[in-house]
Amino acid sequence: MRFVDRWRPFAQDVLLAAAMALLLSVFVFNTPGAGAPDLAAALAGSLALVAWRRAPLLALLVSTACMLVVAARVQPGPAAAYPVMVSVFAAVRVGHRLAAALASLVFLGAGLAVNLSGADGSGQNLQDTTLLVGWFVAAGVVATVTRHRQAYLEEAQRRAAEAERTREEAARRRAGEERLRIARELHDSLTHSISVIKVQAGVAVHLARRRGEEVPPALLAIQEASGDAMRELRATLEVLRDSGRPDDQALASGLDRLDDLVERARSTGLPATVTICGTRRELPAEVDRAAYRIVQEALTNVSRHAGGATAQVRIDYADGELVVQVDDDGEADPAAPPVPGTGLLGMRERVAALGGRLRAEPRPEGGFTVRAELPLGEPS
């Protein structure tokens, strides 16, 4: 399509030149005494219009010179002025008004002098020249209007592009301001609370060890989980505050922390096993983070909604995708699927953003399953 659009103006110019050459050839052939030089000059002046769009000054020079020869020798009447008028239009359209005016004066003046040199028909010749003057003036006016219209359209397009760029900059600025607002809200609402939980858990662990008592596993899990939450919250706040920072920072959790995640779930009393299929390899950062969050949310849901159940985590490194599956043997009923909460909606959004598939539903044999198929794409 681009090829056609690029060559269409050239094809139109060729057709115009061919039509003009055919018209003038008819006049030359029908004029007594016309010879091969006259026909050659008419053809050259007409074919010069092929360049009227790309080289208007060249077309103006060639067409004016050739048509002066034709007008002086053959005197075909106003037809000899047609190629010159087209060239004048082309020159004025691109801003060469002085050259167009000089060419018009030379052609009209020379034509009038040649025609008036004869004794017969001088009145008709003067009338034809006057008519040609009007045509040349009209060609210059039309070319000027076309030039101004083109300039107006280009200015309108420039302003539209500038307005679009301004809107995009304003949208980016508002997005940056919103990120900063969210970062402030998260910092004010969560950082203090998580810090208090971490400090209180640390004090409780210290006092228990000081008294020689066994530290409850749940308390250790709280201390570790609060530390991880603080680390991830700081990483999230840094990403929100720095809009130029890429999302795939190493501070974010990935499957390299899967063992710690499962161990923390076990410390809260949730029996959990991990099965790795395939060869572990480096994953795209987005897939790595999404897989970790899916396992984290699934284990959290098992702890909250399937007390006493056992969780099985399976990570399958396939050729073109990563399969993450978390099953439990709880009491979920296939006939009464749960209402999706924020956690399941978040998982679906993560998987959809990566172009993957998610299945989260009760199992026929009882319990619940979460299975995410994440396309790997290019490794990071």
Side-chain angles (χ1 to χ4, degrees), residues 19-289:
M20 194 69 68
L22 179 62
L23 176 64
L24 289 178
S25 298
V26 171
F27 278 106
V28 171
F29 278 127
N30 291 331
T31 301
D38 304 319
L39 179 62
L43 293 177
S46 301
L47 295 179
L49 297 181
V50 173
W52 78 271
R53 203 187 303 264
R54 294 169 178 79
L57 288 180
L58 177 62
L60 179 65
L61 177 62
V62 174
S63 62
T64 302
C66 293
M67 290 302 104
L68 278 175
V69 173
V70 174
R73 290 173 53 88
V74 181
Q75 299 182 9
Y82 295 162
V84 183
M85 280 190 291
V86 175
S87 300
V88 167
F89 170 85
V92 175
R93 190 175 69 99
V94 297
H96 300 299
R97 287 175 290 188
L98 180 59
L102 290 176
S104 301
L105 289 176
V106 169
F107 179 81
L108 292 174
L112 181 61
V114 170
N115 290 330
L116 290 180
S117 61
D120 298 332
S122 59
Q124 181 64 38
N125 292 333
L126 181 61
Q127 183 179 354
D128 292 342
T129 303
T130 304
L131 181 62
L132 287 179
V133 170
W135 286 1
F136 273 86
V137 171
V141 171
V142 172
T144 303
V145 172
T146 303
R147 176 179 172 82
H148 290 168
R149 179 178 178 275
Q150 183 65 28
Y152 171 78
L153 292 178
E154 292 176 355
E155 178 66 15
Q157 292 176 354
R158 188 191 65 79
R159 290 183 179 180
E162 180 69 16
E164 183 66 23
R165 185 184 62 82
T166 303
R167 282 196 296 268
E168 292 177 355
E169 291 179 353
R172 285 195 295 268
R173 185 174 63 253
R174 287 194 297 269
E177 294 172 353
E178 183 65 14
R179 279 194 299 268
L180 291 177
R181 187 190 68 80
I182 294 174
R184 288 193 300 267
E185 292 294 334
L186 288 175
H187 180 272
D188 295 341
S189 62
L190 295 181
T191 304
H192 176 72
S193 300
I194 296 176
S195 299
V196 170
I197 293 173
K198 186 176 184 299
V199 170
Q200 293 290 347
V203 170
V205 170
H206 173 73
L207 292 178
R209 288 172 176 169
R210 186 175 181 180
R211 291 193 298 263
E213 300 174 355
E214 182 180 357
V215 180
L219 192 57
L220 293 174
I222 292 173
Q223 186 183 31
E224 184 180 357
S226 59
D228 287 344
M230 284 295 297
R231 177 185 62 81
E232 294 183 3
L233 181 59
R234 283 195 297 268
T236 302
L237 293 179
E238 289 178 8
V239 172
L240 287 173
R241 289 185 179 277
D242 187 1
S243 61
R245 183 176 183 175
D247 294 336
D248 53 349
Q249 297 296 318
L251 294 172
S253 297
L255 290 182
D256 58 329
R257 298 181 56 83
L258 178 63
D259 294 337
D260 296 337
L261 176 62
V262 175
E263 188 60 35
R264 189 162 65 245
R266 290 170 181 159
S267 66
T268 61
L270 173 64
T273 60
V274 178
T275 303
I276 305 295
C277 298
T279 303
R280 281 195 174 188
R281 58 184 181 274
E282 189 177 2
L283 300 171
E286 295 84 358
V287 175
D288 199 18
R289 282 200 309 275

Side-chain angles (χ1 to χ4, degrees), residues 246-368:
D247 294 336
D248 53 349
Q249 297 296 318
L251 294 172
S253 297
L255 290 182
D256 58 329
R257 298 181 56 83
L258 178 63
D259 294 337
D260 296 337
L261 176 62
V262 175
E263 188 60 35
R264 189 162 65 245
R266 290 170 181 159
S267 66
T268 61
L270 173 64
T273 60
V274 178
T275 303
I276 305 295
C277 298
T279 303
R280 281 195 174 188
R281 58 184 181 274
E282 189 177 2
L283 300 171
E286 295 84 358
V287 175
D288 199 18
R289 282 200 309 275
Y292 178 87
R293 294 302 185 191
I294 289 170
V295 175
Q296 183 183 47
E297 181 63 29
L299 292 178
T300 301
N301 288 339
V302 174
S303 299
R304 292 176 57 190
H305 304 296
T310 300
Q312 298 91 34
V313 179
R314 179 186 176 93
I315 307 295
D316 188 359
Y317 290 84
D319 291 337
E321 64 181 6
L322 179 73
V323 179
V324 179
Q325 185 166 337
V326 180
D327 298 322
D328 68 74
D329 55 1
E331 299 178 354
D333 185 4
V339 178
T342 305
L344 286 179
L345 291 177
M347 280 194 286
R348 293 191 185 279
E349 291 172 354
R350 288 180 182 274
V351 174
L354 296 173
R357 298 178 297 276
L358 177 72
R359 181 165 59 88
E361 60 189 11
R363 300 192 303 172
E365 64 272 23
F368 200 83

